[in-house]
Amino acid sequence: MTAIAAALPKLPKAPTGIDGLDEITEGGLPLGRPTLVCGSAGCGKTLMGVEFLVRGIQEFDEPGVLMAFEETADELAANVTSLGFDLKALQAAGKLKLDHVHVDRSEIEETGEYDLEGLFIRLGYAIDSIGAKRVVLDTIEALFSGFPNQGVLRSEIRRLFRWLKDKGVTTIITAERGEGSLTRQGLEEYVSDCVILLDNRVIDQITTRRLRIVKYRGSTHGTNEYPYLISESGISVLPVTSLKLAHDVSDEIVSTGVGGLDDMFGRRGLFRGSSVLITGTAGTAKTTLAAGFAHEICRQGKRCLFFAFEESPQQLVRNMGSVGLDLEPCIRQGQLYIEASRPTLNGLEKHLVTLHRLINELQPDAVVIDPISNLITVGNIAEVRSMLTRLIDYLKVKNITALFTALVSGRNVQQEMTEEGVSSLVDTWISVRDLEGVGERNRGISILKSRGMAHSNQVREFVVTEQGIKLLDVVIGPGGIVTGASRLSQQMQEQAQTLAAQQETERKDRELARKRRVLEATIANLRTEFESVEEELRQINHEERQRVQTLTHGRQQIAHHFPSEQPGATPEPPQHS
């Protein structure tokens, strides 16, 4: 199916160059056809037309014609100068043609004649003089106010749209919102090939702007309402660009900035490009953890964008300095940028556009938002969830590591659900909580989930010191893991038990040494006694051998002097004289 769809011819389109609009329209406006932009006063119709022309000239080298029926050329040029659009310079370069057509209904009623032939001639000359590829007509109501006859009016509208198609120019026609219809005449939306509806609404005293593609002949397009903003750089539309979940992933590991917390992850840190949520009640060091992460990113020579909704940059730098996190050098070197504002200053879309703009300008490696729970003050839960979904998807596409903090109420003991409902969207969820003991409150940290990585299931106690956050060793008592004073008591008991065991071991060693000495002394005595007996026996044997030798020698001498007495000897005969 994908190969077949890719082989099918696609409708030629003219990219607008407007941030986000080309993504929604899947390439831009229909090439060589009219597009109707309608909406109420103040929604930015004229600005969209002007930006369409300016971006076409600057980015695609397509000259354009702007024909206005309400504002003069000088007024239009002055109005858009603050957005960085220099219309007079583009006119001087021969890339842009501005023409103001004044339509006075009282004059028409006096003469009784009015048609669009003069407009066609005038517009055709402007197009041909600069070779225009783009045209903007602002606004169509002023042009058709001279037609009292509705039949003639409808006929002339059709003729205008057909004439524009025949000229082959990509056109934007602006129109005021009508009652019960998209436009006041109720016909333009039917003869237009593309209709864009701009809406400017106020909800809970906060202005929000929405854009919707009502129809687009011959092309698929985004059908939802998309927030858009008018900022100093023009119009920014915020589509959900990554709902297909086709972004790339990385195996690179990023440290949390806390060594003990890194040890709780199977790969000693977080995946780059992942999203991390830290939840907890007030006073559980969520901001300190977030600042530690930002400081670690900067220490590695990378760049971090920090959004603070509760503290000013100066206050944040001062507070983090007291816990060993010196953020000032990071800011001076351009590695850390802190954007601080109250959430109620702008609507959700403004915050999201600010995020997009700063991310595109700074190209950070990590983004921190502290806390996202404050955004509920400027929108309902569904809107906040939608905004955060778009933001998380956008950061994933950019492969930017994101860390969010969120305040949770203490009503839920487990505190495993955030009011924004984004806990299921993030890759890693870290919970910090109060561990109440006997007369004291301590802090504990645990990892509720971490996609694609083994992690510890323990609740680790941690303390905030002058050298940052330190995770304490796990101490297990009779009833499980103990913290605070119970930890100290357990440690003292363990130390006392260790000391008693050590003393008992030393006593046994001494007893063994004494017995060894007694045994060695006994062995020495027995050896001495044995040697004495052995010596005495040796002496007796020696004396016995000497006695035997003496006796034998005496016998030999006696036998030599008295041989006749030798047994068996023959006596010699006597001799006579």
Side-chain angles (χ1 to χ4, degrees), residues 256-258 278 285-298 304 306 311 316-317 319-321 323 325-327 330 336 368 370 403 405 469:
T256 63
V258 180
I278 300 178
K286 299 183 298 299
T287 301
T288 305
L289 285 167
F293 170 73
H295 185 267
E296 177 64 20
I297 292 293
C298 298
C304 181
F306 197 111
E311 298 176 278
L316 183 65
V317 171
N319 293 347
M320 292 304 105
V323 294
L325 299 175
D326 190 3
L327 302 180
C330 303
L336 177 63
V368 177
D370 175 49
L403 188 145
T405 68
I469 291 179

Side-chain angles (χ1 to χ4, degrees), residues 6 36 111 227 244 248 259 443 469 481:
L36 180 66
T111 60
K244 295 181 180 179
D248 295 329
R443 297 184 178 101
I469 291 179
I481 297 177

Side-chain angles (χ1 to χ4, degrees), residues 347-421:
L348 293 175
E349 290 75 22
K350 179 64 174 178
H351 289 298
L352 192 54
V353 166
T354 303
L355 274 164
H356 280 232
R357 178 177 58 82
L358 291 176
I359 288 171
N360 290 330
E361 291 177 0
L362 302 176
Q363 296 295 316
D365 299 280
V367 171
V368 177
I369 301 181
D370 175 49
I372 59 174
S373 47
N374 282 21
L375 295 173
I376 293 181
T377 59
V378 292
N380 57 44
I381 294 178
E383 291 174 337
V384 173
R385 180 182 175 86
S386 175
M387 173 215 172
L388 293 175
T389 301
R390 296 197 300 271
L391 176 60
I392 291 173
D393 289 339
Y394 178 73
L395 294 174
K396 282 184 178 293
V397 170
K398 293 283 189 178
N399 199 24
I400 296 174
T401 309
L403 188 145
F404 311 105
T405 68
L407 178 69
V408 296
S409 63
R411 295 188 300 270
N412 185 2
V413 178
Q414 297 297 326
Q415 297 175 0
E416 293 186 355
M417 291 299 295
T418 59
E419 292 182 351
E420 302 78 27

Side-chain angles (χ1 to χ4, degrees), residues 135-181:
V135 172
V136 171
L137 302 180
D138 181 49
T139 65
I140 199 171
E141 280 76 23
L143 178 63
F144 290 139
S145 63
F147 290 99
N149 188 317
Q150 289 295 318
V152 176
L153 169 63
R154 291 173 178 269
S155 175
E156 289 296 303
I157 289 178
R158 288 191 177 93
R159 194 157 72 98
L160 171 63
F161 278 73
R162 173 50 56 189
W163 185 88
L164 291 170
K165 283 187 178 182
D166 293 339
K167 291 294 290 184
V169 291
T170 306
T171 308
I172 285 183
I173 301 172
T174 66
E176 293 290 338
R177 185 79 178 267
E179 300 246 348
S181 61

